[in-house]
Amino acid sequence: MRHHVLNMGEAQGQGYVGQALDAADVLAAVYADQLRYRAEDPEWEGRDRFLLSTGHYAIGHYAALAEAGIVPVDELETYGSDDSRLPMSGMSTYTPGMEISGGSLGHGLTIAVGTALGLRLQGSGARVFNFLSDGELDEGSTWEAAMGAHHHQLGNLTAIVDINALQADGKTDTVLRTEPVLDKWAACGWFVQRVDGNDVGALLAAFDSAAAKAEAEGKPSVILCDTKVGRGVPLLEDREKAHFMRIDEHEWQICREQLTAGYEARTASEGESK
């Protein structure tokens, strides 16, 4: 998925590459382990809904949709081009598997609450997953939605917050301090877990715990995922201006080589530990 992100980013020479790299493990865990869907029928009524509130993370979502078989891998090369089904910000009218047109931050969780309530009223067993960002917690509508989810006891709703400590105007804690976010979500009546969002094992365990809690108590769940912008590519992890990255032409291959080297090193280390 991270290689898909780099390939799409190179086609434009820029983009929200850092966020897509940091969120790749979360998206992989959702699509490979949690989400019920039919690749050949993205509108299947019984599907779980994944709502990408952060529309600018679409480049990462497209990589997940490609690996899930919902979008052809060779279509990724059209990312951001005229007449493409893969615009730079997620659009539900264009892309199979994209449930909402995100990007106006603060709307996603509100839509997710309405979706989860509607599905329950219909007697559907489908679940709703809403991906949002730590910067999005600046928005008052997010907390109104959080209180509404608890009020309606929406056990079929799981929120996923990407905490990469960065937003458009700078570091999150300098724009508006939202910590302690775990306490805030708990005060709104949610089952809260905070994990390393780049640790797949921890993510899988957290999703399983969220599902068990929802079934037992019927309360909404939130997983707070601490991540690192540009994860897996040291060249990009250290970029000072990382919200919207402009990457020089000669750097893309360096990024790929670093990503591959890091993966091979981890694989070798895991093999030795066994």
Side-chain angles (χ1 to χ4, degrees):
M1 284 171 55
R2 288 186 167 97
H3 276 287
H4 288 328
V5 168
L6 293 177
N7 292 340
M8 284 185 280
E10 186 177 21
Q12 293 293 328
Q14 58 189 358
Y16 297 100
V17 174
Q19 293 92 330
L21 293 173
D22 84 49
D25 298 306
V26 176
L27 293 169
V30 170
Y31 274 86
D33 187 67
Q34 291 293 312
L35 211 63
R36 293 176 298 180
Y37 63 90
R38 292 177 179 173
E40 72 284 0
D41 183 14
E43 299 297 321
W44 171 49
E45 189 173 337
R47 73 190 183 281
D48 291 334
R49 272 67 167 179
F50 179 83
L51 277 58
L52 184 73
S53 183
T54 52
H56 60 295
Y57 281 60
I59 184 172
H61 194 191
Y62 299 150
L65 292 172
E67 286 301 306
I70 297 172
V71 171
V73 171
D74 59 7
E75 190 174 350
L76 297 180
E77 64 188 29
T78 71
Y79 167 73
S81 302
D82 290 344
D83 299 322
S84 172
R85 296 197 301 173
L86 311 177
M88 292 189 73
S89 188
M91 299 283 287
S92 61
T93 51
Y94 294 153
T95 312
M98 188 72 70
E99 297 284 353
I100 64 172
S101 296
S104 296
L105 299 184
H107 294 177
L109 189 60
T110 301
I111 299 172
V113 168
T115 302
L117 181 58
L119 288 169
R120 190 176 71 185
L121 292 172
Q122 292 173 356
S124 172
R127 297 180 296 166
V128 178
F129 296 85
N130 178 218
F131 185 98
L132 57 158
S133 65
D134 52 352
E136 199 164 4
L137 302 186
D138 295 354
E139 301 286 352
S141 55
T142 297
W143 297 108
E144 292 179 62
M147 290 186 289
H150 169 64
H151 174 77
H152 292 290
Q153 289 292 282
L154 297 178
N156 57 343
L157 173 61
T158 299
I160 307 161
V161 185
D162 179 32
I163 303 179
N164 61 23
L166 182 70
Q167 56 191 97
D169 292 330
K171 293 183 178 179
T172 302
D173 62 359
T174 65
V175 177
L176 183 65
R177 291 191 299 274
T178 53
E179 294 288 356
V181 290
L182 190 151
D183 294 342
K184 288 183 171 68
W185 283 96
C188 288
W190 289 56
F191 172 54
V192 192
Q193 300 175 85
R194 189 163 191 168
V195 301
D196 179 347
N198 296 127
D199 182 332
V200 173
L203 288 166
L204 295 178
F207 279 116
D208 287 344
S209 294
K213 194 76 171 182
E215 184 175 352
E217 299 184 15
K219 66 192 304 183
S221 298
V222 59
I223 303 175
L224 307 174
C225 302
D226 290 295
T227 62
K228 185 174 182 59
V229 172
R231 175 73 176 192
V233 181
L235 179 67
L236 303 183
E237 290 180 1
D238 297 328
R239 284 283 163 97
E240 182 177 352
K241 294 183 178 181
H243 180 73
F244 185 86
M245 288 188 179
R246 290 174 174 82
I247 301 172
D248 292 337
E249 185 175 349
H250 74 280
E251 292 180 319
W252 291 101
Q253 186 55 33
I254 297 174
C255 291
R256 293 189 186 90
E257 292 170 357
Q258 289 184 344
L259 182 58
T260 299
Y263 173 76
E264 291 177 345
R266 289 194 303 275
T267 302
S269 176
E270 291 170 359
E272 291 174 0
S273 66
K274 293 178 182 179

